[in-house]
């Protein structure tokens, strides 16, 4: 589901009803995205609200923004990461890495295969980098295009293709490796 | 539009990686369906590859964590109010960033007001910030019933009680040589130093989750426990002697730290007991469930009940259907479904309505009231536990055969007339 095209024009014209629609559409999406990086609910809520306030504050410039969805996802990510970094400065002895981690806990394996095989896929997922997980999330869950994913992560489209291809290959490689002679798909989808 | 001649030479992994193919799986529509149907008609040998590639992409799911509708609406309402109050604060009109600082204060004040209006139910003595965090959740009860949350009551050895929720952070008490630390909905017992711990006294603590609450716990030996709603666990602040013994009522999932010289024993429902060395398992021992269930995910456990005993292997479940009934063992259990609650999901698998309703009752702290006959349908599917009660009921209604209404803290269930 995508938001209607003329909605941005209406927000630009200070149409509050249109803004409310945008708000209701993006709030849960940003929140859901943000929760992948931290379990700190107030922080995610703050970042979500700040991003959405920005849409209203910047409504005059909206027509100049070619891809508003991408623009605001990027903006949300920037605000969220900024808040996470700020927060980390005040935690003594924190050894978490510089970039916020896209948590492995948020993957769900939806295949109908046996639990043992699902565990295998889960293990394979844990070998992915945070960035690979995020690319999979934005592409397959949010349904964004490679170009949009690239813009959000501030990398080239080509690099995005590479990250994704490596992630998928890794999932295959891990599973085939750990089982020996079955192919990935026999393992994932027996019968 | 991609040229089908390229796809003729594609293998599964090529399909998985192809953006246009992915687009079909992610955003299917009639046009794309037609294209791929046509491709498969012309290239039937690619059917398995295409099918598997679709499955691979579809099997990568993500846990969804939505904010409640009330949360979105109240924050939107506040913003709109500010937009429409020109001249506030700095004198500029509708500059939203200005209200950011005042927003939380307003929200807390509103929450307190509504709770007082609801009849001052505050009985827990906790820090102000934690209280507000808690009240924000309670406020939603008025229109709908909000999802359960991380909260529980800790009873110390001397009888003192401490209300726990994710708002309380840090060391909350020290008993003997053991520090009790609360963080993000999880309580941990840490010995101050290993040497002293050996000499210190053992205290028994108890954690009780109310209906609508859940909590996590790390015991002194490193064993992790997830406690579902309406459940109680009693345990020592540290483990001493030749065994590690705890008691459970309700439902808990355990990841027991390995220690072969100190078996871990969970006593449940009076005479039942699970004996383990180090393993992952779930115990469902609610009094209102027709049977008690012990499900093993990893390792091995021995289940004792009323003189009977059975050893379980992974993916087996011990079912005890009465105080003096023998233990029956089911094989090939979908263990992910059994522990879905710990991953914040309801996962129903051909469950009759009363079984579904018992779970909702415990998580949303609501009683169930059947009007007339109990609808006989079975339900399959998963719903995130963060959903509000009305959202969950709407989904169940969509499955058909039943109509729900929420009255105060009660769910009224009626069979739907055709």
């Amino acid at each position: 589901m995508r938001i209607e095209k003329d909605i941005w024009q209406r927000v630009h014209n200070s149409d509050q009803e249109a803004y409310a629609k945008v708000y209701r559409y993006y709030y849960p999406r940003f929140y859901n995205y943000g929760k992948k990086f931290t379990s700190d609910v107030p922080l995610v809520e703050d970042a979500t609200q700040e991003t959405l306030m920005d849409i209203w504050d910047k409504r005059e410039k909206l027509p100049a923004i070619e891809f508003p969805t991408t623009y605001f996802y990027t903006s949300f990510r920037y605000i969220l990461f900024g808040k996470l970094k700020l927060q980390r400065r005040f935690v003594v002895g924190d050894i978490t890495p510089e970039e916020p981690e896209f948590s492995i806990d948020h993957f769900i394996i939806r295949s109908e295969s046996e639990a043992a095989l699902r565990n295998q896929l889960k293990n394979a997922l844990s070998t992915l980098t945070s960035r690979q997980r995020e690319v999979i999330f934005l592409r397959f869950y949010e349904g964004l295009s490679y170009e949009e994913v690239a813009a959000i992560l501030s990398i080239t489209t080509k690099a995005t293709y590479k990250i994704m291809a490596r992630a998928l290959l890794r999932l295959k490689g891990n599973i085939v490796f750990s089982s020996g002679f079955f192919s990935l798909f026999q393992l994932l989808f027996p019968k | 539009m991609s040229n089908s001649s390229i796809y003729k030479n594609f293998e599964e992994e090529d399909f998985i990686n192809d953006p246009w193919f992915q687009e079909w799986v992610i955003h299917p529509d009639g046009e794309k369906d037609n294209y791929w149907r046509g491709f498969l008609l012309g290239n039937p040998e690619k059917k398995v590859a295409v099918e598997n590639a679709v499955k691979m992409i579809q099997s990568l799911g993500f846990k969804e964590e939505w904010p409640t509708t009330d949360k979105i609406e109240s924050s939107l309402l506040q913003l709109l109010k500010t937009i429409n109050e020109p001249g506030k604060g700095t004198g500029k009109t509708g500059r939203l960033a200005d209200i950011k600082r005042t927003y939380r204060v307003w929200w807390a004040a509103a929450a307190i007001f509504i709770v007082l209006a609801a009849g001052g139910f505050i009985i827990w003595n906790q820090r102000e910030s934690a209280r507000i965090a808690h009240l924000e959740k309670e406020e939603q009860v008025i229109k709908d019933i909000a999802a359960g949350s991380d909260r529980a009551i800790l009873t110390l050895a001397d009888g003192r009680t401490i209300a726990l929720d994710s708002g309380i952070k840090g060391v909350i008490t020290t008993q003997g040589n053991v520090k009790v630390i609360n963080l993000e909905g999880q309580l941990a017992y840490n010995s101050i130093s290993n040497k002293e711990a050996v000499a210190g006294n053992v205290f028994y603590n108890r954690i009780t989750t109310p209906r609508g609450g859940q909590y996590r716990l790390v015991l002194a030996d490193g064993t992790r426990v997830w406690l579902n709603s309406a459940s109680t666990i009693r345990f020592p602040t540290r483990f001493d002697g030749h065994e590690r013994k705890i008691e459970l009522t309700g439902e808990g999932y355990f990841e027991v730290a390995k220690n072969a010289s100190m078996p871990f024993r969970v006593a449940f429902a009076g005479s039942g007991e699970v004996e383990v060395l180090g393993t992952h398992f779930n115990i469902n021992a609610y009094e209102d469930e027709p049977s008690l269930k012990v499900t093993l995910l990893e390792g091995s456990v021995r289940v004792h009940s009323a003189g009977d005993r059975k050893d379980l292997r992974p993916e087996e479940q011990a079912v005890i259907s009465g105080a003096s009934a023998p233990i029956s063992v089911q094989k090939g259990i979908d263990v992910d479904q059994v522990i879905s609650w710990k991953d914040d999901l309801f996962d129903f698998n051909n469950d009759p309505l009363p079984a579904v309703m018992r779970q909702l009752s415990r998580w949303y702290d609501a009683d169930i009231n059947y009007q007339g006959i109990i609808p006989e349908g079975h339900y399959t599917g998963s719903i995130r536990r963060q959903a509000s009660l009305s959202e969950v009921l709407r989904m169940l209604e969509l499955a058909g055969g039943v109509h729900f209404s929420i009255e105060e803290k009660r769910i009224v269930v009626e069979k739907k007339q055709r």
Side-chain angles (χ1 to χ4, degrees), chain A residues 2 16 19-20 23-24 27-29 31-32 35-36 39-40 42 45-46 49-50 53 56-57 59 83 102 105-111 114-116 118-119 121-122 125 133 136-137 139-146 161 164-165 168-169 171-172 184-185 188-189, chain B residues 12-13 16-23 26-27 49 51-53 55-68 71-73 75-76 78-80 83-84 93-100 103-104 136 169 184 297-298 315 333-337 343 345:
Chain A
R2 292 258 165 153
Q16 291 185 11
Y19 176 66
Y23 201 95
R24 291 190 186 104
Y27 193 110
R29 280 165 180 77
Y31 179 96
N32 185 40
K35 281 280 283 166
K36 304 292 176 276
S39 54
D40 187 336
E45 283 169 4
D46 277 354
Q49 209 188 16
E50 212 170 301
M53 282 175 182
W56 183 260
D57 284 344
R59 63 190 183 279
K83 282 182 185 297
F102 190 101
D105 300 337
H106 294 87
F107 278 92
I108 299 177
I109 311 303
R110 278 198 302 238
S111 86
E114 289 170 48
R118 273 189 286 183
N119 283 339
L121 188 50
K122 259 185 203 167
L125 279 167
R133 290 176 211 148
I136 291 181
F137 174 81
R139 174 74 183 128
F140 291 143
Y141 178 82
E142 294 287 351
L144 300 174
S145 70
Y146 277 97
Y161 278 114
M164 175 66 96
L168 293 170
L169 199 69
L171 290 180
K172 274 188 76 143
L184 164 72
F185 294 105
L188 278 176
F189 318 107
Chain B
E12 282 160 12
E13 61 182 312
I16 292 170
N17 264 311
D18 184 71
W20 204 72
F21 181 83
Q22 291 172 356
E23 206 55 43
I26 304 166
H27 306 293
E51 216 167 87
N52 286 338
K55 280 183 184 166
M56 167 81 194
I57 293 171
Q58 286 181 339
S59 75
L60 293 168
F62 288 87
K63 229 176 264 178
E64 296 180 329
E65 294 160 285
W66 306 124
T68 61
K71 183 124 242 162
I72 302 171
E73 290 305 318
S75 101
L76 171 61
Q78 178 61 9
L79 291 197
L80 290 178
I83 293 171
N84 296 320
T93 50
R95 165 95 187 129
L96 290 179
D98 295 337
I99 68 141
K100 209 190 147 275
Y103 170 68
R104 285 203 168 273
E136 282 184 15
K169 285 186 179 140
E184 304 266 3
L297 285 85
E298 274 180 28
E315 291 172 39
I333 296 295
D334 179 356
V335 292
D336 281 357
Q337 191 219 342
D343 297 322
L345 281 175

Side-chain angles (χ1 to χ4, degrees), chain A residues 10-135:
Chain A
R10 286 169 56 201
V11 173
H12 173 63
N13 297 334
S14 298
D15 177 343
Q16 291 185 11
E17 214 168 282
Y19 176 66
K21 264 193 184 172
V22 167
Y23 201 95
R24 291 190 186 104
Y25 181 84
Y26 283 104
Y27 193 110
R29 280 165 180 77
F30 290 159
Y31 179 96
N32 185 40
Y33 182 30
K35 281 280 283 166
K36 304 292 176 276
F37 294 98
T38 174
S39 54
D40 187 336
V41 171
L43 190 144
V44 174
E45 283 169 4
D46 277 354
T48 303
Q49 209 188 16
E50 212 170 301
T51 313
L52 290 166
M53 282 175 182
D54 234 31
I55 296 182
W56 183 260
D57 284 344
K58 290 203 177 122
R59 63 190 183 279
E60 277 168 28
K61 295 182 199 145
L62 273 175
I65 301 172
E66 198 178 354
F67 303 107
T69 297
T70 317
Y71 180 87
F72 290 116
Y73 262 89
T74 312
S75 150
F76 171 72
R77 193 174 182 276
Y78 180 80
I79 290 170
L80 178 81
F81 282 23
K83 282 182 185 297
L84 281 171
K85 273 187 188 143
L86 196 69
Q87 185 193 51
R88 210 164 279 151
R89 282 213 330 244
F90 300 109
V91 180
V92 181
D94 195 330
I95 49 154
T96 40
E98 259 307 291
E99 277 281 290
E101 273 276 306
F102 190 101
S103 161
I104 181 71
D105 300 337
H106 294 87
F107 278 92
I108 299 177
I109 311 303
R110 278 198 302 238
S111 86
E112 287 159 10
S113 54
E114 289 170 48
L117 303 175
R118 273 189 286 183
N119 283 339
Q120 249 175 322
L121 188 50
K122 259 185 203 167
N123 289 340
L125 279 167
S126 71
T127 69
L128 298 185
T129 65
S130 172
R131 182 146 278 202
Q132 285 174 322
R133 290 176 211 148
E134 192 174 2
V135 166

Side-chain angles (χ1 to χ4, degrees), chain B residues 136-386:
Chain B
E136 282 184 15
K137 285 176 187 126
E138 288 299 326
E139 188 212 3
Q140 295 153 6
V141 168
I142 291 159
K143 280 184 226 149
D144 186 354
I145 298 182
S149 57
D150 291 338
R151 58 197 165 96
I153 294 183
L154 168 66
T155 307
L156 302 176
D158 60 9
R160 272 188 299 147
T161 59
I162 298 171
L164 302 172
D165 63 37
S166 43
I168 305 169
K169 285 186 179 140
V171 178
I172 56 170
T173 182
T174 304
Q175 300 172 87
N177 291 317
V178 179
K179 274 194 289 193
V180 184
I181 300 158
N182 195 57
L183 204 65
E184 304 266 3
Q186 172 171 293
L187 197 66
Y189 285 74
N190 289 3
S191 290
I192 290 168
S193 85
N194 284 333
K195 250 186 209 166
E196 286 174 79
V198 176
N201 291 326
V202 177
F203 298 93
Y204 275 86
N205 284 187
R206 201 169 63 224
I207 293 180
T208 300
T209 50
R211 290 207 303 192
Q214 64 178 0
Y215 228 74
R216 284 173 296 129
L217 176 67
V218 181
L219 297 174
D221 65 339
T223 292
R224 302 176 71 194
V225 184
W226 282 254
L227 201 59
N228 205 344
S229 44
S231 303
T232 296
I233 181 172
R234 183 174 177 270
F235 54 93
T237 54
R238 63 184 191 80
F239 294 101
D240 211 7
H242 61 281
E243 63 174 17
R244 298 172 282 173
K245 193 161 183 179
I246 66 162
E247 290 163 33
L248 172 80
T249 60
E251 183 161 32
Y253 169 68
F254 295 83
E255 292 186 357
V256 175
K258 285 197 172 59
N259 185 347
S261 60
M262 259 173 113
F264 193 94
R265 293 178 207 276
V266 188
F268 59 92
S271 68
E273 187 179 284
V274 177
E275 180 187 339
V276 303
L277 297 175
T279 184
H280 299 179
F281 61 99
N282 190 78
I283 300 180
N284 182 318
Y286 285 114
E287 281 168 8
D288 62 348
E289 292 289 339
S291 55
L292 306 169
K293 289 174 183 151
V294 178
T295 313
L296 185 67
L297 285 85
E298 274 180 28
S300 69
V301 297
R302 177 165 294 174
V303 181
H304 300 259
S305 178
D308 194 6
R309 72 170 205 222
K310 288 269 162 54
D311 290 340
L312 293 187
R313 299 159 63 92
E315 291 172 39
E316 288 185 346
Q317 183 176 67
V319 180
I320 306 164
S321 306
S324 56
I327 302 168
S328 72
V329 174
Q330 318 272 339
K331 292 179 197 296
I333 296 295
D334 179 356
V335 292
D336 281 357
Q337 191 219 342
V338 172
I339 60 158
S340 58
W341 62 269
K342 104 176 217 302
D343 297 322
D344 280 332
L345 281 175
F346 294 112
D347 195 344
F348 305 119
N349 185 8
N350 204 28
D351 288 328
L353 189 64
V356 171
M357 298 313 292
R358 284 194 299 274
Q359 286 194 43
L360 299 187
S361 164
R362 289 193 289 262
W363 184 238
Y364 292 99
D365 185 14
D367 295 322
I368 311 297
N369 184 342
Y370 292 97
Q371 297 278 315
I373 56 166
I374 298 175
E376 67 273 17
H378 286 66
Y379 293 81
T380 297
S382 52
I383 301 175
R384 67 208 156 79
R385 297 220 303 182
Q386 297 316 316

